[in-house]
């Protein structure tokens, strides 16, 4: 095995400026969309008093969930001592921080009063799982930051394992917290399940690794660095396991809900009669986002980089669909004010709430993705996050 | 009306006017003195007469909300009442309905008339639904900043200076009682400072209660909504609840709302 050597991406290059401009533009458009929504108020969005969390929340929660998942590669290296993943640990930690930043920006800018961020940072209600999440996100940034430091500053390398363990435990708690934002809502039948927290953890494994693999393959392709099959195959095989695990959780989640009479209505709504939500569930989440990627990753195309990239993109697309169904579909289905009765009112009781995502909402969400990728672009050029080569003779610990 | 609203503020006003009369003439002075004395003693007599039942005016906000009190409402859905009158009164009191851009599903409603029909039997009824002022309010639990709060006297309300507009409380409320202000508002009423980007809901007309008045919907309900202190066994609401009972919407959630209904 050749010696591992980390190297910055050349910042003074056309490629760097092109990506910087592209992701910067997407981020800028997102910020302008946020300004437009905040200036006018949320009436310019598709959100309303029934669907109170819309498309920005789908993006924000995707990015936050993916953030903790992206850290997995580093955890496998430091906590579970798998040397094969060590070259990827820095990118993993940095990507986790970048994803979390993007997600938090979206979440913040969709607040009714983002100007009151200081209130959210100083007035805490510790009964609120939201408060816990604010602390968990802030802590994640700090811990992963220290973790990266121990990896990148040689005198502190001996602390990497401990920092990695802390980050690993923290990320598990963090995703539990994110899942619990929904799991703690007694009123909403769609979310009333303890299964949501572990399901969010396994979703984070899958979405985070898919994003990681795409960024890895993309950055090595566009910097013309070697990325051998050894590392890619390991990652894509692991990704397939995570996709299958998410699929398993989804099946169990819906089966248990179908079994209990009081959750059957909402489950049947999502699975059969929910229009767009049903389409997103079966076609995008299950067929395109779960089954097709499994075929692409494990089938005859399993070694084709383009197909692996496509599988990652599909997993991400399926992830968005899954969160859209959970977050927006779960709100669209009416709450039972009087269970078993037919209910109507001027406030849309008893009817499926309508929601059409607006362009500014989508652009804000994309802005979060843009910020993530912009941070990654700058980070890989500024510091030594990427190994100069991940060719098999470098990456494979068993290679001669 | 079942709530006793002999208002201390009124007493004070009357006392003030009596003082003026005292200056005008000796005859008026005597009359005024008697009247003032009578009115000063009257609340005591009234309290004595009603066997310690506390009146709303006793709680007008001089010492802050007290946990000895739990304000509640009892809605009698069996009475033939046009509930829309309550909605109108609420809208007027809080200056609602002044949105100019929001779509219907984005407009604020503190109280709404809900039609309930039993598909099996065909029986139907209508009832007003507003914030249920839960004892274990999910909106208060989930609010990250503590903007969503419960006053010592059981009234659940939003501190509009602290609300960051995250809408988690709207996700948590089983009664869909909350609205989000989707646009810039102008011409708000003095007592209800509504503003873009904050969540709001029925606050049981806390401004009126603190002034010794009943909530606007109660006043407009032709006696179909009774307001009072649930902690006071001698209050009308407690007596009626003790005698005839009352149900809470989604009592199964065990949130112990302060709003009770008869006929549901």
């Amino acid at each position: 095995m050749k010696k591992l050597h980390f190297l910055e991406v050349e910042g003074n290059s056309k490629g760097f400026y092109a990506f910087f401009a592209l992701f910067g533009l997407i981020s800028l458009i997102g910020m302008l969309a946020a300004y437009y929504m905040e200036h006018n108020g949320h009436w310019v969005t598709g959100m309303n008093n029934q669907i109170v969390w819309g498309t920005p929340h789908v993006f924000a929660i995707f990015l936050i969930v993916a953030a903790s998942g992206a850290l997995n590669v580093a955890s496998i290296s430091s906590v579970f001592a798998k040397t094969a993943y060590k070259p990827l640990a820095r990118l993993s930690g940095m990507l986790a921080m970048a994803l979390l930043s993007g997600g938090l920006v979206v979440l913040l800018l969709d607040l009714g009063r983002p100007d009151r961020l200081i209130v959210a940072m100083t007035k805490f209600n510790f009964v609120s799982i939201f408060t816990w999440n604010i602390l968990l996100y802030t802590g994640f940034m700090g811990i992963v930051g220290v973790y990266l430091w121990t990896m990148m500053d040689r005198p502190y390398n001996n602390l990497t394992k401990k920092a990695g363990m802390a980050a690993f435990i923290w990320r598990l708690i963090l995703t539990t917290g994110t899942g619990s934002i929904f799991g703690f809502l007694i009123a909403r039948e769609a979310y009333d399940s303890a299964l949501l927290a572990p399901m969010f953890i396994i979703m984070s494994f899958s979405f985070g690794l898919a994003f990681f693999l795409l960024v890895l393959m993309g950055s090595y392709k566009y910097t013309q660095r070697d990325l051998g099959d050894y590392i890619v195959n390991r990652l894509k095989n692991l990704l397939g396991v995570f996709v299958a695990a998410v699929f398993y959780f989804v099946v169990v989640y819906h089966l248990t809900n179908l079994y209990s009479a009081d959750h059957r209505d909402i489950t049947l709504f999502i699975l059969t009669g929910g229009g767009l939500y049903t389409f997103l569930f079966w076609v995008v989440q299950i067929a395109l986002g779960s089954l097709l990627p499994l075929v692409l990753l494990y089938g005859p195309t399993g070694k084709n980089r383009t197909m692996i990239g496509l599988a990652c993109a599909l997993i991400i697309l399926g992830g968005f669909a899954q969160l859209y169904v959970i977050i927006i579909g779960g709100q669209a289905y009416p709450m039972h004010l009087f269970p078993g009765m037919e209910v109507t009112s001027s406030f849309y009781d008893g009817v499926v709430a309508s929601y059409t995502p607006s362009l500014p909402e989508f652009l804000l969400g994309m802005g979060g993705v843009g910020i993530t990728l912009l941070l990654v672009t700058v980070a890989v050029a500024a510091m030594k996050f990427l190994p100069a080569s991940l060719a098999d003779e470098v990456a494979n610990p068993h290679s001669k | 009306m079942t709530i006793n609203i002999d208002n201390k503020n009124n007493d004070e006003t009357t006392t003030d006017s009596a003082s003026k009369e005292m200056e005008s003439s000796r005859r008026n002075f005597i009359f005024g003195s008697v009247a003032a004395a009578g009115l000063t003693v009257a609340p005591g007599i009234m309290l004595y007469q009603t066997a310690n039942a506390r009146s709303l005016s006793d709680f007008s906000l001089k010492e802050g909300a007290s946990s000895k009190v739990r304000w509640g409402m009892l809605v009698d859905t069996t009475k033939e009442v046009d509930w829309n009158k309550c909605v109108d009164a609420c809208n007027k009191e809080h200056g609602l309905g002044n949105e100019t851009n929001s779509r219907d599903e984005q407009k604020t409603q503190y109280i709404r008339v809900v039609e309930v029909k039993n598909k099996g039997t065909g029986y139907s009824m209508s009832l007003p639904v507003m914030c249920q002022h839960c004892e274990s309010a999910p909106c208060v639990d989930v609010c990250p900043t503590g903007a969503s709060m419960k006053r010592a006297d059981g009234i659940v309300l939003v501190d509009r200076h602290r609300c960051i507009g995250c809408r988690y409380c709207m996700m948590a409320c089983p009664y869909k009682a909350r609205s989000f202000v989707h646009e810039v508002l102008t011409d708000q009423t003095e007592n209800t400072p509504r503003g873009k980007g904050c969540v709001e809901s029925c606050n049981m007309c806390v401004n009126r209660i603190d002034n010794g008045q009943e909530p606007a919907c109660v006043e407009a309900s032709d006696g179909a909504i009774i307001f009072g202190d649930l902690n006071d066994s001698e209050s009308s609401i407690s007596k009626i609840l003790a005698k005839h009972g009352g149900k809470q919407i989604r009592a199964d959630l065990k949130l112990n709302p302060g709003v009770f209904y008869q006929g549901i």
Side-chain angles (χ1 to χ4, degrees):
Chain A
M1 185 181 171
K2 285 187 180 171
K3 195 173 182 308
L4 185 65
H5 175 56
F6 286 90
L7 192 67
E8 296 96 337
V9 169
E10 177 54 54
N12 196 11
S13 65
K14 271 187 188 170
F16 172 79
Y17 286 121
F19 280 111
F20 185 84
L22 175 68
F23 299 139
L25 185 66
I26 296 171
S27 307
L28 182 69
I29 291 172
M31 296 308 99
L32 290 174
Y35 175 74
Y36 171 72
M37 288 191 284
E38 294 305 333
H39 181 71
N40 287 288
H42 275 62
W43 72 271
V44 297
T45 72
M47 287 177 266
N48 51 54
N49 285 327
Q50 285 68 45
I51 307 290
V52 301
W53 285 353
T55 305
H57 292 81
V58 174
F59 275 90
I61 291 171
F62 178 89
L63 292 170
I64 292 168
V65 164
S68 57
L71 190 66
N72 256 6
V73 175
S75 298
I76 297 170
S77 148
S78 305
V79 181
F80 301 103
K82 299 280 181 198
T83 44
Y85 291 89
K86 199 177 172 192
L88 306 171
R90 294 181 183 187
L91 175 65
S92 163
M94 183 269 286
L95 182 60
M97 290 175 81
L99 281 163
L100 186 61
S101 305
L104 289 181
V105 167
V106 177
L107 204 59
L108 171 72
L109 291 179
D110 186 62
L111 290 177
R113 297 293 304 259
D115 53 314
R116 288 184 179 167
L117 175 65
I118 191 72
V119 176
M121 300 305 289
T122 52
K123 309 280 185 192
F124 294 120
N125 167 24
F126 288 104
V127 179
S128 169
I129 191 76
F130 237 36
T131 299
W132 284 99
N133 273 282
I134 293 170
L135 300 176
L136 287 169
Y137 299 151
T138 320
F140 186 83
M141 285 290 189
I143 290 176
V144 178
V146 170
Y147 181 30
L148 277 177
W149 182 20
T150 66
M151 279 192 266
M152 297 174 77
D153 199 357
R154 198 175 294 272
Y156 299 98
N157 280 171
N158 57 337
L159 294 173
T160 299
K161 193 173 167 65
K162 283 179 185 157
M165 178 63 89
F168 178 65
I169 292 171
W170 197 270
R171 61 116 6 235
L172 288 180
I173 300 172
L174 181 135
T175 325
T176 306
T178 312
S180 301
I181 288 177
F182 299 96
F184 277 30
L185 297 172
I186 49 154
R188 308 254 176 191
E189 285 160 18
Y191 309 137
D192 182 18
S193 167
L195 216 53
L196 277 180
M199 189 162 90
F200 266 65
I201 290 183
I202 198 67
M203 280 157 64
S204 81
F205 284 14
S206 172
F207 307 163
L209 188 55
F211 209 99
F212 178 87
L213 197 47
L214 264 189
V215 167
L216 181 73
M217 292 198 301
S219 48
Y220 274 71
K221 184 176 178 189
Y222 289 108
T223 53
Q224 279 114 33
R225 297 185 183 193
D226 287 332
L227 178 64
D229 282 339
Y230 174 77
I231 204 84
V232 172
N233 287 345
R234 275 190 87 120
L235 288 174
K236 69 104 183 165
N237 285 337
L238 184 65
L239 180 61
V241 173
F242 291 159
V243 171
V246 173
F247 183 68
Y248 165 79
F249 264 84
V250 169
V251 170
V252 173
Y253 172 69
H254 285 304
L255 278 181
T256 49
N257 277 347
L258 275 176
Y259 193 75
S260 84
D262 56 341
H263 289 81
R264 196 170 296 149
D265 289 354
I266 170 73
T267 310
L268 287 176
F269 168 73
I270 297 292
L271 298 184
T272 60
L276 175 67
Y277 307 110
T278 305
F279 170 81
L280 286 175
F281 177 79
W282 287 112
V283 179
V284 186
Q285 181 187 335
I286 299 298
L288 294 177
S290 304
L291 301 179
L292 183 56
L294 282 176
V295 172
L296 290 174
L297 293 174
Y298 290 141
T301 57
K303 293 203 169 168
N304 181 324
R305 291 286 168 90
T306 311
M307 288 302 145
I308 294 172
L310 178 65
C312 291
L314 286 171
I315 291 164
I316 291 171
L317 183 72
F320 275 110
Q322 183 172 11
L323 287 169
Y324 194 96
V325 170
I326 290 176
I327 297 171
I328 299 175
Q331 293 174 82
Y333 190 74
M335 282 189 284
H336 290 304
L337 211 51
F338 293 92
M341 303 284 212
E342 225 172 55
V343 177
T344 54
S345 82
S346 60
F347 207 55
Y348 305 90
D349 285 288
V351 293
V352 174
S354 66
Y355 170 76
T356 312
S358 63
L359 185 62
E361 286 173 79
F362 175 75
L363 293 177
L364 170 60
M366 284 305 294
V369 180
I371 287 171
T372 299
L373 295 173
L374 185 66
L375 289 173
V376 171
T377 307
V378 173
V380 294
M383 295 175 83
K384 293 174 177 169
F385 283 107
L386 295 177
S389 168
L390 278 172
D392 285 350
E393 60 267 28
V394 180
N396 187 349
H398 306 294
S399 110
K400 290 172 186 171
Chain B
M1 190 57 244
T2 44
I3 295 289
N4 179 13
I5 329 181
D6 56 328
N7 195 320
K8 271 186 181 168
N9 295 337
N10 291 342
D11 299 347
E12 284 160 11
T13 313
T14 319
T15 311
D16 287 347
S17 60
S19 307
K20 284 174 190 166
E21 286 171 16
M22 276 189 273
E23 291 165 11
S24 63
S25 72
R26 180 185 168 82
R27 187 176 168 187
N28 283 350
F29 170 75
I30 295 167
F31 175 78
S33 304
V34 171
L39 284 166
T40 311
V41 175
I45 296 171
M46 186 68 78
L47 278 176
Y48 177 74
Q49 282 175 338
T50 52
N52 298 325
R54 287 164 287 181
S55 68
L56 183 53
S57 62
D58 292 331
F59 303 100
S60 57
L61 200 63
K62 285 175 184 153
E63 295 165 2
S66 160
S67 58
K68 289 176 186 161
V69 182
R70 182 168 185 216
W71 294 121
M73 295 200 267
L74 173 60
V75 182
D76 188 347
T77 66
T78 61
K79 288 195 170 160
E80 291 288 329
V81 177
D82 179 6
W83 297 116
N84 287 311
K85 281 163 64 179
C86 301
V87 177
D88 294 341
C90 174
N91 291 349
K92 191 177 167 207
E93 174 66 30
H94 298 287
L96 306 185
N98 56 347
E99 296 97 337
T100 50
N101 295 309
S102 299
R103 301 188 299 274
D104 282 346
E105 65 266 29
Q106 291 175 324
K107 288 179 179 166
T108 290
Q109 295 188 31
Y110 284 3
I111 177 170
R112 63 196 193 267
V113 182
V114 174
E115 308 287 336
V116 183
K117 189 177 176 187
N118 186 324
K119 270 190 285 186
T121 63
Y123 174 77
S124 67
M125 61 171 172
S126 64
L127 70 161
V129 176
M130 67 295 273
C131 170
Q132 303 288 298
H133 299 279
C134 306
E135 185 185 0
S136 310
C139 58
V140 174
D141 288 345
V142 301
C143 177
T145 64
S148 197
M149 58 164 177
K150 188 166 60 105
R151 243 171 52 150
D153 55 9
I155 297 175
V156 174
L157 66 170
V158 179
D159 180 343
R160 291 164 196 269
H161 298 289
R162 223 188 231 206
C163 175
I164 57 172
C166 73
R167 285 105 75 198
Y168 197 20
C169 57
M170 298 175 77
M171 293 288 282
C173 176
Y175 303 102
K176 218 151 90 64
R178 295 206 152 179
S179 298
F180 180 68
V181 181
H182 284 78
E183 63 177 278
V184 178
L185 295 179
T186 51
D187 295 332
Q188 293 94 325
T189 60
E190 192 182 332
N191 289 317
T192 315
R194 311 171 56 222
K196 181 190 78 175
C198 286
V199 175
E200 55 181 355
S201 63
C202 155
N203 57 11
M204 226 190 246
C205 288
V206 70
N207 53 304
R208 292 170 64 95
I209 293 174
D210 289 346
N211 255 334
Q213 295 170 286
E214 294 183 316
C217 60
V218 176
E219 204 171 81
S221 71
D222 298 329
I225 307 179
I226 296 171
F227 168 81
D229 180 7
L230 296 168
N231 281 352
D232 179 4
S233 59
E234 294 300 324
S235 67
S236 301
I237 189 170
S238 296
K239 282 180 176 171
I240 295 173
L241 280 171
K243 193 172 177 187
H244 301 290
K247 282 187 183 169
Q248 297 154 315
I249 300 176
R250 292 301 308 263
D252 58 313
L253 297 173
K254 298 191 173 167
L255 305 174
N256 190 18
V259 180
F260 289 80
Y261 291 83
Q262 284 177 331
I264 64 169

